[in-house]
Structures are given as structure tokens and as C-alpha cells.
Amino acid sequence: MSQEFKKVLVANRGEIAMRVFRACHDLGLQTIAIYSNEDTYSLFRTAADESYLIGENESPLGAYLDIPRILELAKRHGADAIHPGYGFLSENGDFARACEEAGIRFIGPSSRVLDLMGDKLSAKSLAISCGVPTIPGTSTPLSSGAEARRLAEEFGFPVILKAAAGGGGRGMRRCDSAEEVTANFDLVKAEAGKAFGNDDIFMEKFLLEPKHIEIQVLADEHGHVAHLFERDCSLQRRYQKVVEFTPAFSVSEEVRRALYDDAVKIAKRVGYTNAGTLEFLVDREGHHYFIEMNPRIQVEHTVTEMVTGVDLVRSQILIAEGCPLSDPRIGIRSQSDVRRNGYAIQCRVTTEDPANNFAPDTGKITAYRSPGGFGVRLDGATAGAGSVISPYYDSLLVKVTTWDNTFEGVCGKAARAIREIHVRGVKTNIAFISNILANPTFLAGRCHTRFIDET
């Protein structure tokens, strides 16, 4: 169904809200920001054409999860569509369904697809039906710690307990013994319920030293699906991504092509529309396994944009309006139209203290200097002298994405850009990232760097 938007509400905050506002303005669309009490003085709300306080009596997180209030505000102020960004309600099927019932376009997949692919267990079942390999594990939610312990002993250690909903590294614990399964079961269940409103958890065999490769796809409402190559997201801390890059050259071309094929196959089978990311693990023998689909825009989408020239957020909006991938503003008439040029890497600069177990730091930024130069892109919403970093939300300060013709070149450019950043008033992970970039061999190696926590 074709529908030209005039005004878009962004049901999110911070960096991703800024990113969506910019894409909307590039298309000539009006924008609406919503903000909590705690975000009253945040920069992102000033980037929209209109901004409104929401959740006056809610918690800092609850303000951005209040579906009835968000929809009431959207209708009252004439929004044609809502972009959920990432996190918060972006994978919430009930939110997408409420938008559909209210006659407001949800810029993302349908509620049916979100119900299916937003849940890791149902997504895994669909992958199996497509003949795509998955990691051995449970296919239904675990009912008790005793059941989890029994199954873990059957699978063999190590195993991992995982939330069925959500993402971002929350609700995940590796267990190397039956005692650890018992100790972590209630913790993971509670964390899943708190973070995603769904405390279902499941178990998988934990693969030792795999690579974490994700495939970006775009799909329109006319049955066309295209992949935009892969990103290597193996460098993680506590299952949260720190540095991402493309291409994932440490994985063979044969394996990458198999990943492309399987990603497109799954997207077509489920009838996917809009932007999505399919995540896989590749073991030391080159076997790949589907683990989940993120039915939304990813934090690291900038990496793909830098090497393909495709504006993924603008594409999301156009697809939601009913435009095909062949629309000149998207420019994908067939898969062969998607070309990759050079290398890109994204580093997430956060207000965390590496010397204090990466505890988030808060306070006022008293001095700030940003990097620049050819091939350097910055995405942020809280960086600047006078900005106040609160304890209520994600600690992301700015995403630094760089491009170059070679991997060594892009790492060098990223290292230079990171060194140019100057922040006073709050602690950051800048030195931590600089140490990573100083060793490109480590960054691109076969070792899965989730073990970064132990080094």
C-alpha cells in the first residue's frame, strides 16, 4: 500500500533519534520528538521540528515504553508514521500492531513478522524450516532451573542461557558447570523480564572461538529482497559489540556467500519488509549457524552505509511508504546493483570507566573536541561541552565510523580519529579502543574476542 508521509514521530532518543530526524529532513518530512523528564535538556529533542514531553509520571525508561501515550500523541499531532529506532519498542509486536490499528505506519516489519522474528526461539524454528543450520539447543522456553541443569548436562558444557526476546547483550550468561546453570537461571530470567517485558529464556551449546557475522538485508512490500553484504561483529565485551567492520575477510568467500544466501532465504520465507539483520556464528571449521534476526535498524548500520553508499534509514522510510527497492532514492534494481567499495569500521565511544570494570560514568562534559577529516563520520547526540551525561540511559557518547581502501588504512584512520577526541568531565573508553586499534591483526583474527573481558 503506497502512502506518502508528511510527518514522522521518532519513538526513541539520543543518537538514533538524531539519525532518523536527518533522514526525514533529507526527504522533506516534518519530524516529532518525544522526550522524558530526564531528557528535557538533551540535544536530540532540539533537532526535530516539534518535541513533546512524555511519561511525566513514568520512570526514565517507562516514558519511552508507554505505547498508548505515544500513539495518542502521534495522532494528536498528525504523525503519518512512527520510526522506533533500535531498543525500546523497536522489536515489540504489540507496538507495531497498535500502530496498524491506529492507521499509523510503523517503519519496520509487520506485527506478524515481529512476533515471529523478534522471538529467538520462533526465529530459530523458521530457520530450521528453511534448511539453515542452527546451534544445538532448546526449542521452547525453559520452565525451571532443574530442567535447565538437566539439559545442560545432556548438551555438554559450556552452554549459554539466553533471553528469547530483545538483544544488546542483555539476558545472556555463559555456564561452564551445572552449578553455574543453577546460579544463573533466575538471574537471566529476571534480567530478561526487566529489559524486554518477557522473561522466557532458552539454552544453546556455547561455541568456542567463533566469528560473529551479520548480514544486512533490505526488503520491500513487492517481494524483493537484497543483501548488503556482511559485518564482522566479533569484538564484544559482555556480549555487547564494541567495534564492527566490513568486509569480514577472515571468513572465506565461500562461507560469506552461503551466509548471504541463507539470510535472503529466511527473509523471503517470513515475508520480511524493511531493514533487518540476520546474525550468524561461524566456527573454527567454517561451519555457520543462524542465531537470530534483528528486525530493525542496527547500531552498526553506518558501516554498511559507508561501503555501499545506500542510506539504510532513508530506505526504511521509503519502503514504509510503499516504494520498491528499485526506487532511484534506494537504487537497488537487482542484487548486482549493490556494490561494496573499500573497508569501513565503527567504534563506539562510551562514557564508561575501563579501570572500574567499565562502570558507566555520569556528569557534565566540561570540554569536548571532535575528530574529522576525509572518510570520518560521527553519529552522536550527547557529545558537547556543557552536555550532561545521566545515569538513566545507554552510555553511548558518539559512534566513529571511518572508511579507507585497505583494512590497515581504515584501522589507522580510526585510531587517528579516536586520538583526536578530547573529553573532560566524564570518563570514557577512548584509551581502551585505541589499544584495540593499535593491533589490527588481533581485531581481524580468528579468535572470537568476547574474551576481551579476560584480557
Side-chain angles (χ1 to χ4, degrees), residues 133-321:
T134 61
I135 300 172
T138 58
S139 57
T140 57
L142 295 166
S143 60
S144 66
E147 180 193 26
R149 181 170 178 148
R150 175 180 60 79
L151 290 171
E153 290 174 338
E154 289 181 11
F155 291 138
F157 295 98
V159 296
I160 186 167
L161 296 172
K162 300 173 70 172
R170 296 185 179 91
M172 297 174 67
R173 298 287 179 96
R174 172 181 170 174
C175 302
D176 293 303
S177 67
E179 290 73 25
E180 288 188 8
V181 172
T182 301
N184 285 316
F185 181 85
D186 289 337
L187 292 174
V188 174
K189 199 168 180 65
E191 186 175 357
K194 182 179 180 181
F196 313 119
N198 178 351
D199 68 355
D200 286 345
I201 66 174
F202 67 106
M203 178 189 297
E204 287 182 338
K205 178 72 176 172
F206 186 87
L207 299 184
L208 296 173
E209 298 187 356
K211 296 293 289 185
H212 189 143
I213 310 298
E214 59 186 30
I215 310 300
Q216 177 72 59
V217 298
L218 280 178
D220 63 24
E221 297 178 352
H222 310 278
H224 307 122
V225 180
H227 71 77
L228 287 85
F229 304 106
E230 81 286 352
R231 298 183 289 258
D232 189 323
C233 302
S234 300
L235 188 62
Q236 300 179 14
R237 186 185 63 78
R238 298 175 186 165
Y239 307 107
Q240 292 191 341
K241 297 158 188 173
V242 177
V243 173
E244 303 90 20
F245 62 88
T246 190
F249 53 85
S250 64
V251 176
S252 72
E253 179 66 19
E254 180 183 3
V255 170
R256 280 186 277 163
R257 291 192 177 280
L259 295 177
Y260 304 153
D261 291 344
D262 283 347
V264 171
K265 187 188 303 181
I266 292 172
K268 286 185 174 180
R269 173 66 68 89
V270 76
Y272 196 83
T273 57
N274 219 266
T277 301
L278 295 100
E279 304 204 6
F280 298 84
L281 294 182
V282 181
D283 68 19
R284 286 175 287 190
E285 287 73 43
H287 303 122
H288 70 277
Y289 305 90
F290 170 79
I291 53 173
E292 64 179 311
M293 182 176 194
N294 289 304
R296 53 174 169 79
I297 197 69
Q298 294 272 93
V299 179
E300 59 273 21
H301 73 275
T302 60
V303 172
T304 297
E305 291 181 332
M306 292 288 271
V307 297
T308 64
V310 177
D311 185 325
L312 291 172
V313 178
R314 184 173 70 178
S315 298
Q316 284 191 289
I317 299 166
L318 292 169
I319 289 170
E321 286 186 325

Side-chain angles (χ1 to χ4, degrees), residues 43-59:
L43 178 63
F44 78 91
R45 60 162 292 206
T46 67
D49 298 297
E50 305 170 33
S51 64
Y52 301 100
L53 177 66
I54 194 168
E56 296 91 331
N57 301 313
E58 299 276 1
S59 67

